[in-house]
Amino acid sequence: MKEWKYHPPPDIDATMLESLRDFPRQPYMLVYAVRSIAALLMRVWMKTYHRLEVVGRDNLPQSGSFILVCNHTSHLDTLSLLTAIPLKMIHHTFPAAAADYFFSSLPRSAMSAIVINALPFERKVKGAESLAVCSQLLANDGNILIIFPEGTRTTTGEMGSFRSGIGRLIAGTDLLVVPCHLAGGMKAWPKGRILPRPHKLRLDIGAPQTFSHLEKNEESVRAICQDLEDRVAQLGSEDA
Protein backbone atom coordinates (compact mmCIF):
# COMPACT_ATOMS: atom_id res chain seq x y z
CA MET A 1 0.00 0.00 0.00
CA LYS A 2 1.40 3.36 -1.05
CA GLU A 3 1.93 6.01 1.59
CA TRP A 4 -0.50 8.89 1.09
CA LYS A 5 1.01 12.37 1.09
CA TYR A 6 -0.75 15.69 1.20
CA HIS A 7 0.56 18.34 -1.19
CA PRO A 8 -0.77 21.81 -0.31
CA PRO A 9 -1.34 24.30 -3.14
CA PRO A 10 1.69 26.52 -3.90
CA ASP A 11 -0.18 29.68 -2.87
CA ILE A 12 -1.27 28.40 0.54
CA ASP A 13 0.87 30.97 2.39
CA ALA A 14 0.07 33.84 0.04
CA THR A 15 -2.33 36.63 0.87
CA MET A 16 -5.60 36.85 -1.05
CA LEU A 17 -4.28 39.73 -3.14
CA GLU A 18 -1.06 37.84 -3.92
CA SER A 19 -3.02 34.76 -4.95
CA LEU A 20 -5.20 36.78 -7.31
CA ARG A 21 -2.20 38.48 -8.90
CA ASP A 22 -0.32 35.21 -9.29
CA PHE A 23 -0.25 33.58 -12.74
CA PRO A 24 -0.84 30.86 -13.72
CA ARG A 25 -3.52 30.47 -11.07
CA GLN A 26 -4.50 27.38 -9.16
CA PRO A 27 -7.68 25.70 -10.50
CA TYR A 28 -10.45 26.14 -7.94
CA MET A 29 -13.89 24.75 -8.76
CA LEU A 30 -15.67 27.55 -6.89
CA VAL A 31 -13.89 30.13 -9.04
CA TYR A 32 -14.90 28.24 -12.19
CA ALA A 33 -18.52 28.18 -11.02
CA VAL A 34 -18.58 31.91 -10.25
CA ARG A 35 -16.94 32.73 -13.60
CA SER A 36 -19.42 30.56 -15.51
CA ILE A 37 -22.42 32.23 -13.86
CA ALA A 38 -20.90 35.68 -14.42
CA ALA A 39 -20.29 34.85 -18.09
CA LEU A 40 -23.94 33.94 -18.59
CA LEU A 41 -25.14 37.14 -16.91
CA MET A 42 -22.62 39.20 -18.87
CA ARG A 43 -23.90 37.79 -22.18
CA VAL A 44 -27.48 38.70 -21.29
CA TRP A 45 -26.38 42.21 -20.29
CA MET A 46 -24.28 42.79 -23.43
CA LYS A 47 -26.98 41.55 -25.79
CA THR A 48 -29.88 43.40 -24.15
CA TYR A 49 -28.46 46.58 -22.61
CA HIS A 50 -25.88 47.21 -25.38
CA ARG A 51 -27.56 45.26 -28.20
CA LEU A 52 -24.17 43.76 -29.05
CA GLU A 53 -23.88 42.58 -32.65
CA VAL A 54 -21.04 40.20 -33.52
CA VAL A 55 -20.01 40.01 -37.18
CA GLY A 56 -17.56 37.37 -38.43
CA ARG A 57 -17.82 34.98 -35.50
CA ASP A 58 -17.01 32.13 -37.91
CA ASN A 59 -13.51 33.60 -38.29
CA LEU A 60 -12.62 32.39 -34.79
CA PRO A 61 -10.28 29.36 -35.05
CA GLN A 62 -11.91 26.11 -34.00
CA SER A 63 -8.78 24.58 -32.48
CA GLY A 64 -5.34 25.46 -31.18
CA SER A 65 -4.24 28.55 -29.29
CA PHE A 66 -4.67 31.99 -30.82
CA ILE A 67 -4.65 35.71 -30.07
CA LEU A 68 -7.42 38.29 -30.39
CA VAL A 69 -6.24 41.86 -30.98
CA CYS A 70 -8.70 44.75 -30.83
CA ASN A 71 -8.91 48.52 -30.65
CA HIS A 72 -9.22 49.85 -27.11
CA THR A 73 -12.05 52.28 -26.47
CA SER A 74 -13.46 51.24 -23.09
CA HIS A 75 -13.81 48.42 -20.56
CA LEU A 76 -16.58 47.07 -22.78
CA ASP A 77 -13.96 45.91 -25.29
CA THR A 78 -12.96 42.96 -23.13
CA LEU A 79 -16.55 42.10 -22.24
CA SER A 80 -17.56 42.14 -25.91
CA LEU A 81 -14.75 39.78 -26.90
CA LEU A 82 -15.55 37.43 -24.01
CA THR A 83 -19.19 37.40 -25.13
CA ALA A 84 -18.17 36.52 -28.69
CA ILE A 85 -16.19 33.38 -27.83
CA PRO A 86 -17.89 30.03 -27.15
CA LEU A 87 -19.03 29.74 -23.54
CA LYS A 88 -17.05 26.51 -23.09
CA MET A 89 -13.83 28.46 -23.71
CA ILE A 90 -14.17 31.12 -21.00
CA HIS A 91 -11.81 29.33 -18.60
CA HIS A 92 -9.20 29.16 -21.37
CA THR A 93 -9.49 32.81 -22.42
CA PHE A 94 -7.16 35.34 -20.81
CA PRO A 95 -7.42 39.10 -21.43
CA ALA A 96 -4.07 40.79 -20.82
CA ALA A 97 -4.83 43.49 -18.24
CA ALA A 98 -2.60 46.25 -16.87
CA ALA A 99 -1.34 44.99 -13.51
CA ASP A 100 -0.93 48.52 -12.14
CA TYR A 101 -4.65 49.22 -12.67
CA PHE A 102 -6.67 46.00 -12.62
CA PHE A 103 -4.65 44.35 -9.83
CA SER A 104 -4.06 47.42 -7.67
CA SER A 105 -6.60 46.53 -4.96
CA LEU A 106 -8.42 43.48 -3.66
CA PRO A 107 -11.85 44.33 -5.22
CA ARG A 108 -10.33 45.03 -8.64
CA SER A 109 -8.10 41.96 -8.42
CA ALA A 110 -11.06 39.74 -7.52
CA MET A 111 -13.13 41.06 -10.42
CA SER A 112 -10.21 40.76 -12.85
CA ALA A 113 -8.99 37.31 -11.82
CA ILE A 114 -12.24 35.55 -10.93
CA VAL A 115 -14.80 37.04 -13.31
CA ILE A 116 -12.67 38.15 -16.27
CA ASN A 117 -9.83 35.60 -15.89
CA ALA A 118 -7.36 38.38 -16.66
CA LEU A 119 -3.63 37.88 -17.07
CA PRO A 120 -1.68 40.56 -15.14
CA PHE A 121 0.50 42.43 -17.65
CA GLU A 122 3.21 44.83 -16.52
CA ARG A 123 3.09 47.88 -18.80
CA LYS A 124 5.82 49.94 -17.18
CA VAL A 125 8.30 47.36 -15.85
CA LYS A 126 9.00 43.69 -16.55
CA GLY A 127 7.37 43.91 -19.97
CA ALA A 128 9.64 41.16 -21.32
CA GLU A 129 8.65 38.88 -18.45
CA SER A 130 4.96 39.47 -19.16
CA LEU A 131 5.50 38.60 -22.84
CA ALA A 132 7.27 35.41 -21.75
CA VAL A 133 4.23 34.46 -19.66
CA CYS A 134 2.01 35.09 -22.70
CA SER A 135 4.23 32.84 -24.83
CA GLN A 136 4.05 30.05 -22.26
CA LEU A 137 0.28 30.40 -22.11
CA LEU A 138 -0.06 30.12 -25.88
CA ALA A 139 2.32 27.16 -26.01
CA ASN A 140 -0.42 25.13 -24.30
CA ASP A 141 -2.99 24.04 -26.87
CA GLY A 142 -6.46 25.57 -26.68
CA ASN A 143 -5.77 28.89 -24.93
CA ILE A 144 -6.96 32.30 -26.14
CA LEU A 145 -5.10 35.52 -25.34
CA ILE A 146 -6.83 38.90 -25.68
CA ILE A 147 -4.52 41.86 -26.28
CA PHE A 148 -5.14 45.56 -26.86
CA PRO A 149 -1.94 46.65 -28.64
CA GLU A 150 -2.62 50.38 -28.16
CA GLY A 151 -1.84 49.82 -24.48
CA THR A 152 -4.49 52.15 -23.10
CA ARG A 153 -8.04 53.31 -23.82
CA THR A 154 -8.52 56.13 -26.28
CA THR A 155 -9.87 59.46 -25.03
CA THR A 156 -10.42 60.97 -28.47
CA GLY A 157 -12.01 58.14 -30.41
CA GLU A 158 -8.96 57.85 -32.64
CA MET A 159 -7.08 54.56 -32.65
CA GLY A 160 -3.51 54.83 -31.37
CA SER A 161 -0.41 53.18 -32.78
CA PHE A 162 0.11 49.52 -31.91
CA ARG A 163 2.96 48.96 -29.48
CA SER A 164 5.75 46.50 -30.20
CA GLY A 165 4.68 43.81 -27.73
CA ILE A 166 2.33 42.02 -30.12
CA GLY A 167 5.00 41.93 -32.81
CA ARG A 168 7.61 40.53 -30.44
CA LEU A 169 5.16 37.89 -29.29
CA ILE A 170 4.25 36.44 -32.68
CA ALA A 171 7.09 37.17 -35.13
CA GLY A 172 8.42 33.91 -36.57
CA THR A 173 5.76 31.76 -34.85
CA ASP A 174 2.80 29.76 -36.19
CA LEU A 175 0.39 31.52 -33.84
CA LEU A 176 -2.85 32.73 -35.37
CA VAL A 177 -3.80 36.34 -34.69
CA VAL A 178 -7.39 37.46 -35.19
CA PRO A 179 -7.92 41.22 -35.74
CA CYS A 180 -11.10 42.64 -34.22
CA HIS A 181 -12.78 46.04 -34.03
CA LEU A 182 -15.41 47.24 -31.57
CA ALA A 183 -17.59 50.17 -32.58
CA GLY A 184 -19.60 52.17 -30.06
CA GLY A 185 -17.49 51.37 -27.03
CA MET A 186 -16.36 54.91 -26.31
CA LYS A 187 -19.88 56.32 -26.57
CA ALA A 188 -21.22 53.58 -24.32
CA TRP A 189 -18.52 53.74 -21.66
CA PRO A 190 -15.91 56.48 -22.15
CA LYS A 191 -12.82 56.63 -19.99
CA GLY A 192 -13.64 58.35 -16.69
CA ARG A 193 -17.36 57.53 -16.67
CA ILE A 194 -18.47 55.37 -13.72
CA LEU A 195 -21.34 53.48 -15.38
CA PRO A 196 -21.94 52.62 -19.05
CA ARG A 197 -24.74 54.01 -21.21
CA PRO A 198 -27.14 51.71 -23.13
CA HIS A 199 -25.42 52.40 -26.47
CA LYS A 200 -25.36 49.82 -29.28
CA LEU A 201 -22.09 47.94 -29.85
CA ARG A 202 -20.80 46.13 -32.93
CA LEU A 203 -17.87 43.75 -32.87
CA ASP A 204 -16.28 42.84 -36.21
CA ILE A 205 -13.99 39.80 -36.25
CA GLY A 206 -11.56 39.53 -39.15
CA ALA A 207 -9.77 36.61 -40.76
CA PRO A 208 -6.92 34.97 -38.78
CA GLN A 209 -3.38 35.96 -39.73
CA THR A 210 0.00 34.34 -39.19
CA PHE A 211 3.49 35.81 -39.41
CA SER A 212 5.59 32.65 -39.38
CA HIS A 213 7.39 33.83 -42.54
CA LEU A 214 8.94 36.79 -40.73
CA GLU A 215 12.14 36.54 -38.74
CA LYS A 216 12.35 37.76 -35.17
CA ASN A 217 13.90 41.19 -35.62
CA GLU A 218 12.94 44.83 -35.16
CA GLU A 219 11.91 45.27 -38.79
CA SER A 220 9.50 42.34 -38.54
CA VAL A 221 8.08 43.65 -35.27
CA ARG A 222 7.30 47.02 -36.87
CA ALA A 223 5.80 45.36 -39.94
CA ILE A 224 3.52 43.13 -37.84
CA CYS A 225 2.31 46.02 -35.70
CA GLN A 226 1.52 48.12 -38.77
CA ASP A 227 -0.19 45.23 -40.55
CA LEU A 228 -2.45 44.42 -37.61
CA GLU A 229 -3.17 48.09 -36.96
CA ASP A 230 -4.25 48.51 -40.58
CA ARG A 231 -6.45 45.42 -40.46
CA VAL A 232 -8.22 46.55 -37.27
CA ALA A 233 -8.70 50.03 -38.74
CA GLN A 234 -10.12 48.49 -41.93
CA LEU A 235 -12.66 46.55 -39.92
CA GLY A 236 -13.61 49.82 -38.25
CA SER A 237 -14.11 51.55 -41.59
CA GLU A 238 -16.56 48.80 -42.55
CA ASP A 239 -18.68 49.77 -39.53
CA ALA A 240 -19.07 53.34 -40.72
Side-chain angles (χ1 to χ4, degrees), residues 43-59:
R43 287 163 191 247
V44 173
W45 170 38
M46 295 298 291
K47 291 178 180 179
T48 56
Y49 190 72
H50 293 294
R51 308 185 304 284
L52 174 64
E53 177 186 5
V54 180
V55 179
R57 197 192 300 266
D58 55 346
N59 283 323

Side-chain angles (χ1 to χ4, degrees), residues 123-140:
R123 295 185 295 184
K124 300 177 181 179
V125 295
K126 300 181 180 180
E129 292 182 18
S130 293
L131 286 177
V133 172
C134 292
S135 294
Q136 294 168 11
L137 175 73
L138 293 165
N140 294 319

Side-chain angles (χ1 to χ4, degrees), residues 102-164:
F102 289 98
F103 291 86
S104 59
S105 65
L106 186 56
R108 283 185 180 179
S109 297
M111 176 64 70
S112 302
I114 297 174
V115 176
I116 305 300
N117 201 25
L119 182 156
F121 196 95
E122 298 287 352
R123 295 185 295 184
K124 300 177 181 179
V125 295
K126 300 181 180 180
E129 292 182 18
S130 293
L131 286 177
V133 172
C134 292
S135 294
Q136 294 168 11
L137 175 73
L138 293 165
N140 294 319
D141 191 45
N143 287 329
I144 304 172
L145 179 66
I146 295 175
I147 293 182
F148 301 100
E150 293 167 87
T152 188
R153 289 167 289 165
T154 181
T155 56
T156 64
E158 298 295 323
M159 194 170 73
S161 299
F162 280 17
R163 298 185 180 182
S164 64

